[in-house]
Amino acid sequence: MKTSTQLNIKILWITIFILVAINVLGTLFFYRFDLTKDKRYTLSETSLQIIKQVKNPLSVKIYMEGDLPADFRRLQQETRQLLEEFQAYNSNIVFEFVNPLENEDDSEALTKSLFQKGLTPVNITVDDKGKQSQAMVFPWAIAVYNNKEINIPLLKNRMGASTTQKVIGSIQHLEYSIADAVNKIVKDKQKKVAVIKGNGEMKEIHIAKMLIQIRESYYIGPFTLDSVAKDPNGSLNALKKYDLAIIAKPTETFSDEEKQVLDQFIMNGGKTLWLIDQVSADMDSLYNQAGATLAYPRDLNLNDMFFKYGFRINPDLIKDEQGSPLKLATGEPGSATQYQDFIWKFAPLASPESKHPIVKNLGGIKFDFANPIDTLKNGIKKTVLLQSSPYSKKIGTPFEVNLGIVSEQTSPKDYLNKGNLPMAVLLEGSFYSAFENRILAFKENSFLSKGKPAKMIVVSDGDLAKNQLDKNGIPVELGYDQRSGNLYDNKDFIMNCINYLLDDTGLINIRSKDLDLPLLDKEKVYENYTQAQFITIGLPILVLLVFGFAFTYIRKRKFSK
């Protein structure tokens, strides 16, 4: 008995020593174990680098607390767990969950202030075993750092998707959304964006929402090419100070001097986002007594440049059966006006199929009078980001576009081997100058015939970046279509393009992270509700009871002998 006691004491001391040693080692070495199959709680290297930049307290307030619908409870839980990971690597990051509707006396003032900050709620129809009710949720967070504040959208909009699908998509983007917000609020602006002017580009009020979004992360300013005629070298040197040039729907011809300035900007490693309409056509011109307009080719004098870079935008229109909805007045004249939904085939609705980070997990992106893009072989890497549906085709111009096309009858045979037309293409590599082996438009001592590595994105529709105006002339959200009431993912696509072209932190690559998020089939659960209750609640209790009776029986039998 004495030997047994000594052995137990010895084992106890060894155990205590091991536990103390593990705790000491744990204070010296930091490591977190992620046992999930898809490593959803393992932060990317980019996120870790961003977290290290937080030197002062960063407060995050999440407005998702209280009695939430099941889908949003999951989003809340995933947000909490992800922020705990951020906090584990940097204690300067603190967060709290707030219920904006908890106190009736203060909720009205709080919700009003959230509205003013742009944090709009989501009205959800909750279906509980056939009983429907309404719930209002604020799927937003606000981060504050050094007196700077930024909104973090936690729910990703996807047109036509169910609430569950939206939540799943939002969880996929959660690390990117939070890391991007932290990066914006912590890191000082460095990159510069030039918005090219002087050739009939869109007015600022029509791209206001895009400009506001860009300004959150980058320096941005207009750059007018009018000065090229007087001092081309001075204009080129000024443009070289920018990192990205955006050419948003020019309508006037470019001179050779202006083209050389843009060309040499690209040769020196400048990034470009081309938003080009090769056909003159506009929805507003359709709303006349005839309900028709003439679409005709637009000559911008850029074709030779584009051909040299490895692509061509054809002066054709894309007609797509997978178009965007359009409301039109129907009924006899003099009767009460009624509106009916139609599919407008000249407004292709692109659903991204590419796995590229720019478009991965994006919803529908709306085009207006898009043109097909051809890619040419020239050694430049090309990635088609967006394309029309298989049931689409090219329509040559000039062509009369009229609203009567909404009632046109078609069949799949009309589109056989004609669809999947590229509408947005990414090009990466070292481009050759469009002025190689040509007489220069102006003398330039630093002329480069082959450029430094660069990137450009070509979109064959300038209206993709255009925000509509409300009845008071105020810009509405980019991607929101007032005619149909739908919100498309145009803003996310444009910002992803800009972030990818300028990204030097690898932040955009977080979007490539795939999470395995299994879903419950609610219909099957409702059909077998009693069975589901027994499996999830009754079965564990039954197992415990069986184990308890067995343990009691064995114990009585053992000690009764």
Side-chain angles (χ1 to χ4, degrees):
M1 187 72 178
K2 188 176 181 182
T3 304
S4 177
T5 303
Q6 290 177 342
L7 181 62
N8 289 336
I9 293 172
K10 185 178 180 180
I11 292 173
L12 177 63
W13 280 109
I14 292 172
T15 304
I16 293 172
F17 175 78
I18 292 172
L19 290 173
V20 171
I22 290 173
N23 277 276
V24 171
L25 290 172
T27 60
L28 299 175
F29 301 98
F30 175 80
Y31 192 81
R32 292 176 70 81
F33 295 93
D34 185 354
L35 302 181
T36 57
K37 180 182 177 181
D38 51 12
K39 301 298 178 185
R40 76 179 65 173
Y41 304 118
T42 301
L43 298 181
S44 66
E45 191 61 36
T46 300
S47 295
L48 295 176
Q49 291 300 322
I50 291 171
I51 293 169
K52 288 179 182 178
Q53 300 175 32
V54 182
K55 305 299 182 184
N56 299 314
L58 187 152
S59 171
V60 182
K61 194 170 286 188
I62 307 97
Y63 293 94
M64 282 199 303
E65 188 62 278
D67 187 17
L68 299 171
D71 291 323
F72 284 89
R73 283 201 300 272
R74 184 168 191 178
L75 180 59
Q76 176 202 52
Q77 180 185 4
E78 294 287 344
T79 304
R80 187 189 305 276
Q81 290 173 334
L82 189 61
L83 285 170
E84 286 173 353
E85 287 297 312
F86 276 69
Q87 191 178 59
Y89 286 95
N90 191 330
S91 58
N92 283 323
I93 299 174
V94 295
F95 63 91
E96 64 172 322
F97 282 78
V98 176
N99 182 1
L101 306 174
E102 183 178 19
N103 190 327
E104 291 185 6
D105 297 331
D106 301 330
S107 63
E108 186 175 347
L110 179 57
T111 53
K112 186 177 179 180
S113 68
L114 294 179
F115 267 104
Q116 292 172 344
K117 292 179 180 180
L119 278 64
T120 52
V122 177
N123 290 311
I124 302 297
T125 301
V126 182
D127 192 343
D128 184 14
K129 293 184 288 183
K131 296 180 181 179
Q132 292 187 340
S133 60
Q134 294 292 321
M136 187 168 70
V137 182
F138 282 88
W140 291 88
I142 295 179
V144 180
Y145 182 78
N146 289 348
N147 296 321
K148 292 192 293 184
E149 189 176 285
I150 190 169
N151 298 341
I152 307 175
L154 301 177
L155 182 67
K156 179 154 183 55
N157 174 71
R158 288 187 64 184
M159 196 194 71
S162 65
T163 301
T164 301
Q165 290 170 330
K166 289 179 181 178
V167 168
I168 294 302
S170 302
I171 294 172
Q172 294 273 5
H173 283 80
L174 206 51
E175 183 181 347
Y176 173 79
S177 298
I178 297 175
D180 181 45
V182 173
N183 188 55
K184 286 177 181 177
I185 201 170
V186 172
K187 190 177 179 181
D188 293 330
K189 296 179 183 178
Q190 294 176 339
K191 300 294 179 70
K192 297 180 180 179
V193 178
V195 180
I196 302 299
K197 298 288 184 182
N199 292 84
E201 289 83 2
M202 283 190 288
K203 295 179 180 179
E204 287 191 3
I205 195 168
H206 292 299
I207 53 173
K209 290 299 182 178
M210 179 182 75
L211 299 179
I212 291 171
Q213 199 71 26
I214 294 172
R215 196 173 287 120
E216 287 186 0
S217 304
Y218 310 106
Y219 293 109
I220 185 171
F223 190 93
T224 305
L225 292 179
D226 293 346
S227 59
V228 171
K230 295 180 179 179
D231 184 13
N233 280 293
S235 298
L236 175 57
N237 291 332
L239 186 57
K240 285 180 182 178
K241 295 177 182 178
Y242 290 86
D243 301 286
L244 169 68
I246 299 177
I247 303 93
K249 196 181 178 179
T251 56
E252 299 172 7
T253 303
F254 284 76
S255 68
D256 286 345
E257 290 81 5
E258 292 170 338
K259 287 163 60 177
Q260 186 176 329
V261 168
L262 291 174
D263 176 83
Q264 288 302 296
F265 169 73
I266 294 168
M267 294 306 108
N268 281 275
K271 284 65 171 190
T272 45
L273 175 58
W274 300 92
L275 300 163
I276 303 295
D277 280 14
Q278 285 286 58
V279 174
S280 179
D282 192 86
M283 278 301 296
D284 291 336
S285 61
L286 275 170
Y287 293 102
N288 53 43
Q289 192 170 2
T293 186
L294 181 66
Y296 55 90
R298 176 179 280 145
D299 182 17
L300 299 173
N301 193 29
L302 294 174
N303 292 342
D304 56 337
M305 280 182 66
F306 294 164
F307 189 87
K308 192 72 174 182
Y309 299 154
F311 68 93
R312 176 174 52 226
I313 304 177
N314 296 307
D316 303 317
L317 291 178
I318 295 177
K319 179 184 174 187
D320 197 335
E321 291 293 325
Q322 187 176 302
S324 304
L326 177 68
K327 287 184 182 293
L328 293 176
T330 58
E332 296 295 329
S335 61
T337 303
Q338 294 180 341
Y339 290 90
Q340 185 176 342
D341 284 328
F342 296 94
I343 296 299
W344 182 237
K345 299 176 185 180
F346 288 107
L349 182 59
S351 300
E353 296 181 1
S354 171
K355 297 299 181 183
H356 194 279
I358 292 176
V359 294
K360 188 172 183 180
N361 295 324
L362 285 184
I365 297 161
K366 182 178 179 290
F367 286 74
D368 271 316
F369 298 109
N371 318 129
I373 301 174
D374 289 340
T375 56
L376 312 170
K377 292 183 178 180
N378 66 341
I380 297 293
K381 180 184 176 183
K382 304 172 187 72
T383 306
V384 175
L385 300 175
L386 298 173
Q387 61 185 12
S388 62
S389 78
Y391 302 105
S392 60
K393 64 180 179 180
K394 295 185 281 188
I395 301 292
T397 57
F399 176 77
E400 184 184 76
V401 181
N402 63 77
L403 294 173
I405 199 173
V406 296
S407 58
E408 178 189 48
Q409 297 296 317
T410 58
S411 71
K413 292 180 181 179
D414 297 331
Y415 301 99
L416 192 62
N417 300 322
K418 295 179 180 179
N420 298 321
L421 302 168
M423 299 185 293
V425 179
L426 164 68
L427 298 96
E428 301 171 281
S430 297
F431 298 89
Y432 283 92
S433 170
F435 290 86
E436 182 188 23
N437 301 323
R438 284 175 53 185
I439 298 174
L440 299 181
F442 61 87
K443 186 178 179 181
E444 182 190 349
N445 295 328
S446 59
F447 176 80
L448 296 176
S449 60
K450 184 179 180 180
K452 302 172 184 177
K455 307 174 192 172
M456 67 173 66
I457 293 175
V458 184
V459 182
S460 63
D461 176 27
D463 292 322
L464 186 138
K466 181 180 180 180
N467 53 253
Q468 297 179 4
L469 306 178
D470 65 15
K471 60 183 179 181
N472 297 317
I474 305 299
V476 301
E477 189 64 57
L478 176 56
Y480 179 67
D481 180 23
Q482 296 180 99
R483 297 184 182 96
S484 63
N486 291 327
L487 179 63
Y488 301 95
D489 268 1
N490 291 40
K491 183 179 75 172
D492 284 351
F493 172 70
I494 288 292
M495 291 312 303
N496 287 349
C497 287
I498 293 169
N499 290 338
Y500 183 82
L501 292 172
L502 292 176
D503 191 25
D504 57 354
T505 64
L507 186 63
I508 193 74
N509 291 321
I510 301 177
R511 292 175 54 86
S512 299
K513 191 172 182 178
D514 282 314
L515 302 181
D516 183 18
L517 300 168
L519 298 175
L520 275 177
D521 190 327
K522 291 184 179 179
E523 291 186 6
K524 286 186 177 180
V525 171
Y526 292 156
E527 288 174 4
N528 306 283
Y529 195 73
T530 305
Q531 183 181 346
Q533 275 189 319
F534 174 75
I535 292 173
T536 56
I537 300 174
L539 188 59
I541 295 174
L542 182 62
V543 170
L544 285 173
L545 288 173
V546 170
F547 178 79
F549 282 124
F551 180 78
T552 305
Y553 173 76
I554 293 170
R555 185 177 177 83
K556 282 183 177 181
R557 188 174 178 184
K558 179 179 179 181
F559 288 101
S560 62
K561 294 181 180 179

